[in-house]
Amino acid sequence: MTTTENIPFLDLITPHVELEAELLEAAQRALRTGYFIGGPEVKRFEDDFAAYCDAKLCVGVGSGTDALRLTYLALGIGCGDIVITVPHTFIATTESISQTGARVQFVDIDEATYNLSPSALRRFLQTKCRIDPATKTTTCIATGERVKAVVPVHIYGQMADMDAIQEIADEYGLLVIEDAAQAHGAKYFSTKQNRWLTAGSIGVAGCFSFYPGKNLGACGEAGAVTTADEELAARIRMYRDHGQRKKYYHDVEGYNGRLDAIQAGMLSVKLKRMPLWTEQRQQAAERYNALLADVDVLTPFEPAHSKAVYHLYVIRTKNRDGLMQYLAEREIGTGIHYPIPLHLQVAYTGHFYKAGDFPIAEAVATEIVSLPMFPHITAEQQERVSAEIEEFLAKQKAPFEG
Ligand SMILES: *Cc1c(COP(=O)(O)O)cnc(C)c1O
């Protein structure tokens, strides 16, 4: 028997132990200056994160969900509007749409990348919508609702096909909002612009989460919006702070959705490690790709136009549940992201979607499994994960052998 040391799905301890002194200093600065909400730490992190994303501006908020919600509100999305996105994502992408009063419209994903399928988007707009060429506004034929925006989710850290999505959005007068909650620092080669672009710098806004398990994680809740639009940034700042343009002058009813100074200070410490951590994730992904090359599972597809940051390393296999159980018995952590496509969640029963509506998202959800992935994963750990997967598959092929 080789090593049976447990391999976690995610290691949230090692990076924090490594940085403990610096992280504690960030907390201490808040204690000693009395800046807990807002202040110089927040401003510094916002500037540094904007630069990291090649974005002009960044607005720190309370969570990734706030980033999405406050962006939709600041863009004037609300009752009578439709926002298009994918069912293969975390529910924060869509609950934040519904919470503005707008309606979520799903379109299916691309089977190779698991990202929003530009052809499914076009098909929906061509068959279910009408565009008024004079005003370049698009409405849903059945309901008359205005189709306002499309939200590609850069799932698992790989960017959606932004050139194709932007082109369709321009044609139909839709805003593009990037859900970049899993894609800090991910790159996309834009053929149109003939250069590499960074997640969060392409759409009218990019929405990021700093939930602890994300590639850049706070030591608590935090999020941010990136944008090049000064007026939009100002409106998001207003919405994050009770709708006030200045203290006690409320233009609208807003939210309590601010980034706090301790989280901002800790995020600044961790942001400096992002180039290294991202490279480590990419190397770990390459190592898995090599280890699993001759194993009968589908490894992630990374198109030439993409530099993914591997928030998750997701493989596809027929007997997914059996494999997960086998690995769990050997103390190897795995996850499913996500087991039930959003259109089939109980929360969306009122939306009249049914099984079969988005067949690719549905098929993928039954076969995906996320393997242990974090910057500090070792080659030995990955070799063991791969060996156990191989062993499981071999046993499956010869079920009656001793
Ligand atoms: C994590 C996540 C969010 C929500 O972020 P929180 O910080 O947890 O609110 C939104 N969208 C996606 C795709 C996510 O993975």
Side-chain angles (χ1 to χ4, degrees):
M1 198 82 190
T2 53
T3 170
T4 54
E5 177 208 350
N6 92 78
I7 301 173
F9 173 63
L10 169 65
D11 176 8
L12 273 182
I13 297 170
T14 309
H16 294 109
V17 170
E18 273 179 18
L19 298 175
E20 192 174 272
E22 285 178 75
L23 293 169
L24 289 175
E25 269 172 41
Q28 208 169 47
R29 277 197 299 279
L31 296 176
R32 293 182 177 178
T33 60
Y35 278 116
F36 293 108
I37 305 289
E41 293 282 335
V42 172
K43 177 76 174 73
R44 178 163 74 113
F45 174 70
E46 288 177 338
D47 292 346
D48 291 350
F49 191 67
Y52 181 74
C53 298
D54 296 322
K56 190 168 161 202
L57 302 162
C58 167
V59 183
V61 295
S63 67
T65 312
D66 275 346
L68 290 160
R69 183 197 294 122
L70 303 181
T71 297
Y72 299 145
L73 287 167
L75 288 167
I77 290 166
C79 283
D81 294 333
I82 287 176
V83 178
I84 301 172
T85 192
V86 287
H88 185 68
T89 180
F90 182 58
I91 195 167
T93 310
T94 53
E95 58 189 5
S96 51
I97 295 169
S98 306
Q99 285 161 3
T100 69
R103 188 166 68 80
V104 177
Q105 173 65 53
F106 293 115
V107 297
D108 212 342
I109 56 170
D110 173 79
E111 184 138 21
T113 62
Y114 312 131
N115 270 319
L116 188 144
S117 156
S119 54
L121 174 64
R122 185 176 284 287
R123 202 174 321 118
F124 170 75
L125 291 165
Q126 276 176 347
T127 59
K128 306 281 190 222
C129 302
R130 172 191 310 121
I131 178 164
D132 175 356
T135 57
K136 219 181 185 188
T137 53
T138 298
T139 49
C140 172
I141 293 168
T143 64
E145 293 159 299
R146 168 91 186 269
V147 185
K148 272 264 181 78
V150 56
V151 183
V153 180
H154 304 319
I155 202 80
Y156 310 150
Q158 172 151 284
M159 291 179 68
D161 188 356
M162 293 303 288
D163 274 355
I165 292 166
Q166 193 69 59
E167 186 176 314
I168 299 167
D170 289 345
E171 201 177 315
Y172 284 87
L174 312 183
L175 298 162
V176 177
I177 297 141
E178 297 171 65
D179 183 337
Q182 302 186 1
H184 318 70
K187 307 278 180 188
Y188 172 86
F189 188 82
S190 167
T191 312
K192 262 196 225 155
Q193 300 187 37
N194 194 31
R195 63 191 179 107
W196 287 94
L197 303 176
T198 306
S201 70
I202 305 176
V204 60
C207 298
F208 289 87
S209 164
F210 307 124
Y211 184 76
K214 297 287 160 76
N215 287 25
L216 176 59
C219 302
E221 301 276 4
V225 183
T226 50
T227 182
D229 182 336
E230 301 269 3
E231 176 54 27
L232 178 62
R235 288 179 62 77
I236 295 168
R237 282 196 195 97
M238 189 172 77
Y239 272 103
R240 78 176 168 184
D241 194 19
H242 304 287
Q244 42 190 15
R245 271 210 191 261
K246 67 180 197 187
K247 206 164 176 67
Y248 305 131
Y249 290 76
H250 307 271
D251 287 11
V252 292
E253 285 186 334
Y255 287 79
N256 176 348
R258 296 165 303 223
L259 174 61
D260 75 71
I262 294 181
Q263 296 311 331
M266 292 183 166
L267 283 165
S268 290
V269 170
K270 295 171 88 177
L271 181 59
K272 285 187 279 185
R273 269 65 178 188
M274 281 299 280
L276 172 65
W277 287 346
T278 299
E279 201 182 308
Q280 287 173 325
R281 285 178 184 273
Q282 289 164 337
Q283 282 167 0
E286 271 177 37
R287 221 180 286 132
Y288 269 140
N289 288 344
L291 287 165
L292 296 169
D294 299 321
V295 179
D296 186 23
V297 296
L298 193 63
T299 53
F301 170 67
E302 197 174 329
H305 67 239
S306 171
K307 284 184 196 158
V309 295
Y310 290 93
H311 172 57
L312 297 168
Y313 185 92
V314 176
I315 62 168
R316 235 179 119 172
T317 181
K318 291 280 175 221
N319 186 0
R320 184 265 314 275
D321 294 342
L323 174 63
M324 284 182 79
Q325 194 191 328
Y326 188 86
L327 295 178
E329 283 161 7
R330 285 149 187 82
E331 300 207 54
I332 294 172
T334 58
I336 307 174
H337 302 87
Y338 297 89
I340 305 194
L342 292 181
H343 66 288
L344 301 178
Q345 295 281 357
V346 175
Y348 290 115
T349 41
H351 289 228
F352 305 108
Y353 288 113
K354 58 185 186 314
D357 283 350
F358 305 105
I360 298 172
E362 290 167 31
V364 162
T366 64
E367 295 184 355
I368 43 173
V369 52
S370 311
L371 301 184
M373 169 55 85
F374 43 91
H376 299 74
I377 194 166
T378 64
E380 293 69 36
Q381 287 176 314
Q382 292 189 273
E383 281 156 20
R384 191 167 148 242
V385 172
S386 156
E388 298 286 14
I389 293 171
E390 215 168 341
E391 198 172 295
F392 170 77
L393 293 170
K395 280 184 182 161
Q396 290 249 291
K397 276 196 189 132
F400 304 114
E401 279 172 27

